[in-house]
Amino acid sequence: MAAPPQPGQQPSPEQMAIMQQQIAMEAQKRGMTPQQFQQWQRQQIEAEAKKAGMTFEQYVVKLKQQAFENHQRQQQMAQQQQLAQQSGQPQAQGQGGQQVPINPGAPDPKAIAVAKWLRGQDLKTRTCILNGQRKDMFRVKRALRALQSPAYKTASAKNPLLPPVTDVPTASETFKLLPLSLLSLRVSKSDPHAGHNHGPPSKPQKRVKGLWTVKIEQQQDVSEDLHYVWLYEGPQWRQKVYAAGALVLIMAVVMFPLWPVKLRIGVWYLSMAMLGLIGLFFAMAIFRAILFAVTYFAVPPGLWLYPNLFEDVGFFDSFKPLWGWQEEKKKKGKKSKGDAATDAKSPSSKSKTTKAAATQKIPTTNSQDLKPRVEEVEDD
């Protein structure tokens, strides 16, 4: 189909032929000749131009402009659909299982209300990596449970923007508002090196346990076992306050020469005190190292001043106790194979010697020794 001519541009012969065919078809439908149809159409346009307070020529130019804009809009929509099919643009599942393409635009106020409420709930989110940025990821089943909870029912009664939820299907339909407004999208685990033309890394990279690298899926389905990632960050008032504070601090430092004299003198004394504390700390660290080196040879195993100074403890615990001896690590001796073999055999050998000693200590008694007998004792 040929595009309509731009305003101020003469139509091509092909466009003229197509327009004449369309006029003939419309005239045949109304039972008129092409000349009668053109005259009737001109009268209609003149009447509409008078209603709009415009001349006939101005109104015709306006109609051409509208037709050209509509044609351009249709071409853009067709190109977006083709790009979505080729590059995998996310598509949400609408009612009846139809795929609805997600186009960027102003989010739905209902979707924003649902996202705000869900962000305040405990969905047991976990951190993931999406396009090199850290995002919060959650499972759909936790969001559906939250939407069916009494807390949501109470919130929807107070906020008219929250859609009512009565069962699982209505909860799913409410959750679908998030991907349609690009507030949350379905993701899946991916390989960060997929699609790269480089070999495997020479050194194995350290991977943080539980930190997934994810990618956005084309089909934005709703199922309990699927994972979604938050793209809605909520109100950014805290970040704005931090940014404003940093800007004020920078401006205050830059405008230091304009400060009052007393304030500048106070800042100078404070900075000198901080430098003195830092110098005292380094001097103490050097002195304790020298003290340990002297006592290590003079009074082994060596004496430490503030032994917990560089330990992983609190600030005040770093200065407790005042002094302490160097703790010697117990050396575990390595046993030779012969000693290990004798130790392994020792329980059995001990048991054998114990049995032998027991048999030796027990005297053998005969039946004759049990008979009574009389012995003569000599007088002194």
Side-chain angles (χ1 to χ4, degrees), residues 58-128:
Q58 292 175 348
Y59 194 74
V60 170
V61 172
K62 181 181 178 181
L63 292 178
K64 289 182 179 180
Q65 182 70 26
Q66 290 178 354
F68 180 72
E69 290 177 357
N70 291 334
H71 180 73
Q72 281 188 335
R73 195 177 297 111
Q74 291 177 358
Q75 283 185 341
Q76 290 178 358
M77 291 178 63
Q79 290 177 358
Q80 288 179 359
Q81 291 179 357
Q82 291 178 358
L83 291 174
Q85 293 177 358
Q86 293 177 359
S87 61
Q89 184 179 356
Q91 293 183 350
Q93 208 173 31
Q95 297 181 355
Q98 297 180 354
Q99 299 296 330
V100 180
I102 299 175
N103 296 320
D108 188 1
K110 293 182 179 180
I112 295 178
V114 173
K116 284 182 179 179
W117 189 85
L118 285 177
R119 288 290 280 179
Q121 304 302 310
D122 184 16
L123 301 182
K124 295 184 179 180
T125 58
R126 55 189 297 186
T127 306
C128 65

Side-chain angles (χ1 to χ4, degrees), residues 263-277:
L263 191 59
R264 281 186 288 171
I265 294 174
V267 171
W268 183 83
Y269 279 115
L270 184 62
S271 61
M272 290 297 104
M274 293 297 297
L275 288 175
L277 288 176

